[in-house]
Amino acid sequence: MFAAAATHRRPVSRTSLRGHVRRAAGRDHNPLCRPLDRAYSRLVTGAALMVLVTLVLAAVAALLVYRSEAHDAAQTARHRHVVTAVTTGPAQSDDPRAGSAREHAPARWTYPVGPGAGSIPVPDGTTTGAALPVGLNDAGQPVGVPRSNGLLVSDAVLVGVGAVTALGFGTEGWIALRRRRLDRRAEADWESAWEQVEPGWSGRR
């Protein structure tokens, strides 16, 4: 992707990443290797390192988000208690004008502090007498079921993907800019060399 195209104006692209690293480090003693070839190899090597750094940073960001949310979830779970509630009426849709299309139903449940009742979120089409889990706080009030570990992992993955995307665009932009500069340099070098060779090759004085 990042290697130069094989033309008479650009370095040969059939070079492995290891070869580019050697050339970028000045360990390629090929007499045909030009400073421009080393510049292209440094670009390829730098691009590979930036991809690696991007993946590492994305993984670290995802891990930090997961640990933070897992810690918060653990603290919240200490004050949430899941009990079984039994609906006492059918599910009803919230007012669409309020910007919500969730379903709620009246329900009753039993909690150590005493019996409770209220409206709880339910799946669409829930009927009277359905048994559903409901999360309660220490006072016995419904506050929702604690977030599952799967949701925490999903959040972390989304953060990692977002980091890869953002850093990837930045890396791609830097590579494209640097590549264009090297291409212009290769073009100028080729034209300069052709001006010196063409008169002798064509016999023109």
Side-chain angles (χ1 to χ4, degrees), residues 146-169:
R147 300 187 68 196
S148 66
N149 188 67
L151 291 176
L152 302 183
V153 172
S154 297
D155 287 348
V157 170
L158 288 176
V159 169
V161 172
V164 169
T165 301
L167 293 174
F169 275 119

Side-chain angles (χ1 to χ4, degrees), residues 1-104:
M1 173 180 179
F2 302 120
T7 70
H8 59 286
R9 299 181 182 180
R10 296 179 181 174
V12 177
S13 63
R14 298 181 183 278
T15 303
S16 65
L17 178 58
R18 181 178 180 182
H20 281 297
V21 172
R22 287 177 55 85
R23 183 180 296 166
R27 299 177 60 187
D28 185 351
H29 304 296
N30 188 334
L32 299 179
C33 182
R34 302 167 296 169
L36 182 61
D37 296 316
R38 293 190 179 90
Y40 270 102
S41 290
R42 285 194 294 269
L43 176 61
V44 173
T45 303
L49 289 176
M50 292 180 73
V51 169
L52 179 60
V53 170
T54 294
L55 294 177
V56 172
L57 291 178
V60 170
L63 180 59
L64 291 177
V65 168
Y66 175 79
R67 287 185 174 180
S68 176
E69 291 197 355
H71 178 267
D72 292 343
Q75 294 298 318
T76 301
R78 294 175 57 185
H79 302 283
R80 288 193 180 182
H81 314 277
V82 179
V83 300
T84 300
V86 178
T87 57
T88 57
Q92 296 180 352
S93 298
D94 293 341
D95 187 351
R97 293 173 296 179
S100 174
R102 298 184 62 184
E103 298 273 337
H104 284 77

Side-chain angles (χ1 to χ4, degrees), residues 108-179:
R108 293 184 178 277
W109 56 83
T110 300
Y111 188 60
V113 298
S119 179
I120 62 173
V122 296
D124 184 20
T126 298
T127 58
T128 302
L132 299 170
V134 61
L136 307 176
N137 59 18
D138 292 335
Q141 299 172 336
V143 290
V145 178
R147 300 187 68 196
S148 66
N149 188 67
L151 291 176
L152 302 183
V153 172
S154 297
D155 287 348
V157 170
L158 288 176
V159 169
V161 172
V164 169
T165 301
L167 293 174
F169 275 119
T171 298
E172 189 69 22
W174 176 83
I175 292 172
L177 179 62
R178 181 60 179 164
R179 177 63 177 274

